[in-house]
């Protein structure tokens, strides 16, 4: 049996900290040299072997509440490292990447308190006693955004040791721009044994021009610069709403930031930041995914608690395809009763069409009349869903960074496999209009970024259920003490 601890577990004697998500094989004899105490465990297979069974054909009608943005919540949680006072974050989505980040912060000595009941989406993070400024490989390999702790740790503690992320399903995804930026702020960087070690007595303000627009790179360095001595000017910055949301939180914490949401951000470093309370913006990609579900199924969906202004590129494209969209201040209604027309899409940095919606758009393009050319400009290998969609009957030809989708094709159910977060969403969407029962394997990818997607879809009429491969979820596991 394999167990994985939910919280870091210190072995009696204190010799080793067992990292969250470290797999312990209990078939091997438990000896003194191995971990001898494992508790608060859940089965390693919890959620990991789950599948979705989806029967297509239903129109989706009703209303869905959009969760907080995972990609805004992750940097916001990392920002708590910048202060010794508590940071209270509201509208945190209940998704696996957030659990991973909590585990990461806890492994550094942070206290992370979870809200419950009506406050179940609130998290209070206190980084008063940080003991271990390190993001270990075990965590970074499961979530690349773990590298967001690099800047805040060097800024606050003068030292950070973060595993290099390595390869990724959707492309190389290096973090060289984070490193170069930190060097510009006066940090010394050593790279050895697969880790990046950054040190600085105190960071000093500098001029950073990003070679390429990077979202987490902009966020990481913006956080670092808040505590640097003097002014930092960053050019060619990402303009994503998540960057703006992080700047809003940092400003509440006492940071002096101008220009977030534009290409140039200016930060006047301060000596100290304090605690704050902040509500995370709605998840524009979750909203976009449900918008696409409404369009595909010829449905009528109202999405509440969302920000339609963040969905401009998608809604404009869908209107080009013939869809009717009505936006209010914090909700959006999508209806579609017509045959979709094909339209080309090119992914770009915000406010362009998001790469995180490219896979879902491809599912939609299979149902549009005509040829849609989808060009992926941000990541080099982000078409893995194309093969799975083709197994369901789609006519898709991938040529380098372009996918040519010819529609409309009838989709038929098949056993398909999720390869990454947004690819999984695309397969769920395709299954909603496929003929028969599709079985989606490895839905843990989708659980990384979508909060109970199956429950939300079911509430508006989809036939979708989650099944566990071997064991019930949250099965009780006895503690093992040797
Ligand atoms: C973030 C999002 C992710 C989204 C992506 C692009 C989070 C947690 N994740 O990822 O969902 O798909 O933005 O919108 O917010 N690059 C470099 N060197 C670097 C950093 C990036 O070459 O140091 C390249 C990447 O390989 C990629 C491009 O820059 O080709 C953009 O990547 P980036 O914006 O950094 O993506 P993430 O921040 O990792």
């Amino acid at each position: 049996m394999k167990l994985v601890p939910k919280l870091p577990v210190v072995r009696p004697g204190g010799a080793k900290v067992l990292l969250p998500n470290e797999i312990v094989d209990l078939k091997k004899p438990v000896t003194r040299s191995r971990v001898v105490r494992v508790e608060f465990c859940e089965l390693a297979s919890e959620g990991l072997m789950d599948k979705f069974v989806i029967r297509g054909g239903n129109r989706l009608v009703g209303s869905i509440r959009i969760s907080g943005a995972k990609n805004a919540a992750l940097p916001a949680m990392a920002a708590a490292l910048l202060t010794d006072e508590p940071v209270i974050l509201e509208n945190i989505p209940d998704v696996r990447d957030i659990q991973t980040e909590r585990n990461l912060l806890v492994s550094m000595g942070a206290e992370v308190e979870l809200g419950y009941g009506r406050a179940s989406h609130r998290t209070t993070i206190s980084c008063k006693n940080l003991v271990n400024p390190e993001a270990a490989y075990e965590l970074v390999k499961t979530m690349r955004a773990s590298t967001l702790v690099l800047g805040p740790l060097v800024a606050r503690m003068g030292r950070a040791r973060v595993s290099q992320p390595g390869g990724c399903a959707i492309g190389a995804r290096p973090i060289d721009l984070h490193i170069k930026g930190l060097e510009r702020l006066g940090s010394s960087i050593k790279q050895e044994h697969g880790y990046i070690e950054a040190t600085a007595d105190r960071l000093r303000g500098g001029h950073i021009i990003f070679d390429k627009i990077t979202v987490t790179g902009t966020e990481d360095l913006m956080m670092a610069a808040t505590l640097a001595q003097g002014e930092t000017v960053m050019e060619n910055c990402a303009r994503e709403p998540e960057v703006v949301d992080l700047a809003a939180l940092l400003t509440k914490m006492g940071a002096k930031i101008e220009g977030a949401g534009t290409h140039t951000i200016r930060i006047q470093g301060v000596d100290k930041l304090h605690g704050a309370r902040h509500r995370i913006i709605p998840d524009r990609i979750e909203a976009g995914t449900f918008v696409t579900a409404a369009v595909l199924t010829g449905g009528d969906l109202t999405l509440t608690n969302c920000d339609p202004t963040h969905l401009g590129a998608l809604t404009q494209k869908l209107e080009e395809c013939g869809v009717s969209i009505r936006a209010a201040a914090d909700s959006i209604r999508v209806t579609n009763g017509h045959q979709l027309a094909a339209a080309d899409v090119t992914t770009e940095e915000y406010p362009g069409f998001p790469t995180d919606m490219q896979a879902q758009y491809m599912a939609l393009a299979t149902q549009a009349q005509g040829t849609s050319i989808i060009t992926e400009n941000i990541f080099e290998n982000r078409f893995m869903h194309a093969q799975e969609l083709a197994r369901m009957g789609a006519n898709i030809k991938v040529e380098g960074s372009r996918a040519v989708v010819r529609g409309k094709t009838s989709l038929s159910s098949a056993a398909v496999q999720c390869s990454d977060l947004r690819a999984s969403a695309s397969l769920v969407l395709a299954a909603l209009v496929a003929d028969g029962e599709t079985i989606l394997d490895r839905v843990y990818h989708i659980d990384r970024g979508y909060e109970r997607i199956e429950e939300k879809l079911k509430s508006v009429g989809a036939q979708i259920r989650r099944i566990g491969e071997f064991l019930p979820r949250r099965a009780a596991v006895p503690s093992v003490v040797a």
Side-chain angles (χ1 to χ4, degrees):
M1 191 200 302
K2 289 195 169 182
L3 298 176
V4 57
K6 271 199 90 183
L7 295 168
V9 178
V10 182
R11 191 160 63 145
K16 178 179 177 187
V17 174
L18 179 64
L19 287 164
N21 296 342
E22 190 172 323
I23 303 274
V24 184
D25 191 344
L26 291 183
K27 276 191 191 145
K28 290 189 191 154
V30 177
T31 64
R32 285 184 71 80
S33 62
R34 292 183 65 235
V35 173
V36 290
R37 187 152 178 256
V38 180
E39 55 180 43
F40 304 117
C41 289
E42 287 183 286
L43 292 170
S45 56
E46 188 228 340
L48 294 187
M49 295 304 182
D50 287 1
K51 297 178 199 281
F52 283 161
V53 180
I54 303 171
R55 178 169 287 279
N58 284 16
R59 269 184 86 220
L60 302 190
V61 178
S63 160
I64 295 177
R65 188 182 161 81
I66 298 304
S67 298
K70 164 185 89 75
N71 285 356
L74 292 173
M77 291 171 78
L81 291 165
L82 290 162
T83 175
D84 57 7
E85 295 182 20
V87 172
I88 303 166
L89 299 172
E90 291 166 354
N91 206 27
I92 293 275
D94 184 9
V95 298
R96 195 176 283 270
D97 272 7
I98 296 293
Q99 289 167 20
T100 306
E101 176 127 352
R102 280 193 192 117
N103 290 340
L104 174 61
L105 295 176
V106 167
S107 75
M108 294 176 187
E111 284 172 30
V112 182
E113 193 188 300
L114 308 182
Y116 53 88
R118 285 176 61 198
S120 62
H121 291 88
R122 189 170 70 207
T123 292
T124 305
I125 303 168
S126 170
C127 296
K128 195 168 179 183
N129 302 310
L130 290 180
V131 287
N132 178 32
E134 175 167 319
Y137 178 61
E138 290 303 319
L139 286 167
V140 178
K141 78 172 183 201
T142 60
M143 188 184 70
R144 306 174 57 79
S146 309
T147 50
L148 276 166
V149 299
L150 187 59
L153 284 176
V154 201
R156 159 105 184 272
M157 300 190 71
R159 195 171 87 81
R161 194 166 176 269
V162 173
S163 169
Q164 284 182 332
C168 170
I170 63 174
R173 296 184 87 176
I175 57 163
D176 56 313
L177 302 177
H178 300 233
I179 295 170
K180 273 192 208 166
L182 279 178
E183 281 174 336
R184 300 282 302 169
L185 298 182
S187 172
S188 308
I189 308 276
K190 238 176 37 192
Q191 298 191 48
E192 55 185 18
H193 310 301
Y195 278 78
I196 296 155
E197 195 160 335
T199 46
D201 285 339
R202 181 172 179 191
L203 295 175
R204 50 168 202 274
H207 190 182
I208 299 167
I209 304 173
F210 289 103
D211 295 340
K212 195 171 179 182
I213 296 179
T214 158
V215 178
T216 48
T218 302
E219 293 164 345
D220 198 11
L221 294 165
M222 182 163 73
M223 288 191 275
T226 57
L227 289 180
Q229 193 163 28
E231 185 184 65
T232 298
V233 179
M234 305 198 304
E235 294 188 66
N236 201 23
C237 295
R239 294 184 288 162
E240 268 66 2
E242 293 76 16
V243 173
V244 178
D245 196 44
L246 175 64
L249 165 64
L250 292 168
T251 304
K252 287 179 191 167
M253 292 167 69
K256 305 256 176 290
I257 302 171
E258 273 173 29
T262 73
H263 283 310
T264 305
I265 302 180
R266 279 174 194 277
I267 304 141
Q268 298 291 340
V270 295
D271 291 339
K272 211 170 162 14
L273 293 177
H274 50 75
R277 189 183 191 109
H278 182 71
R279 188 171 176 80
I280 300 294
I281 54 168
D283 196 314
R284 63 195 167 100
I285 305 301
E286 188 200 21
T289 304
F290 289 129
V291 164
T292 314
V295 174
L296 264 172
T297 62
D300 182 349
L301 280 187
T302 300
L303 307 176
T304 61
N305 191 40
C306 70
D307 187 339
T309 62
H310 295 162
L311 293 166
L314 173 70
T315 51
Q316 193 174 311
K317 190 54 65 183
L318 292 177
E319 280 168 349
E320 234 178 89
C321 302
V323 175
S324 156
I325 295 180
R326 267 165 290 168
D330 63 354
S331 68
I332 188 165
R333 182 170 173 192
V334 188
T335 48
N336 183 36
H338 312 286
Q339 171 57 54
L340 288 167
D344 298 345
V345 146
T346 300
T347 64
E348 281 163 18
E349 293 89 2
Y350 189 85
F353 193 94
T355 173
D356 284 353
M357 277 303 301
Q358 179 260 105
Q360 300 89 315
Y361 186 83
M362 191 180 288
L364 185 132
T366 68
Q367 300 308 294
Q369 200 64 53
T371 302
S372 309
I373 299 178
I374 301 176
T375 309
E376 173 56 58
N377 275 334
I378 309 292
F379 294 110
E380 66 268 30
N381 189 24
R382 207 171 194 181
F383 283 140
M384 308 243 279
H385 42 283
Q387 292 157 17
E388 297 299 286
L389 290 172
R391 296 186 56 243
M392 296 176 75
N395 180 346
I396 305 172
K397 204 163 158 212
V398 174
E399 302 158 344
S401 63
R402 278 177 12 140
V404 180
V405 186
R406 292 198 169 80
K408 172 184 181 178
T409 45
S410 335
L411 298 181
S412 63
S413 56
V416 287
Q417 192 154 302
C418 302
S419 55
D420 69 66
L421 172 56
R422 306 304 170 186
S424 325
S426 138
L427 297 178
V428 169
L429 293 172
L432 289 175
V433 288
D435 176 25
E437 211 168 64
T438 295
I439 299 182
L440 232 94
D441 202 356
R442 302 193 180 180
V443 302
Y444 58 83
H445 284 293
I446 213 163
D447 291 335
R448 287 187 53 193
Y450 288 87
E451 182 171 324
R452 288 183 271 282
I453 192 172
E454 75 281 19
E455 288 174 24
K456 291 191 181 189
L457 285 171
K458 211 166 158 178
S459 74
V460 290
Q463 292 190 66
I464 175 169
R465 64 180 205 277
R466 180 187 288 265
I467 53 170
E469 171 98 319
F470 302 122
L471 295 154
R473 302 187 87 212
R474 300 198 182 279
V477 177
S479 6
V480 178
V481 180

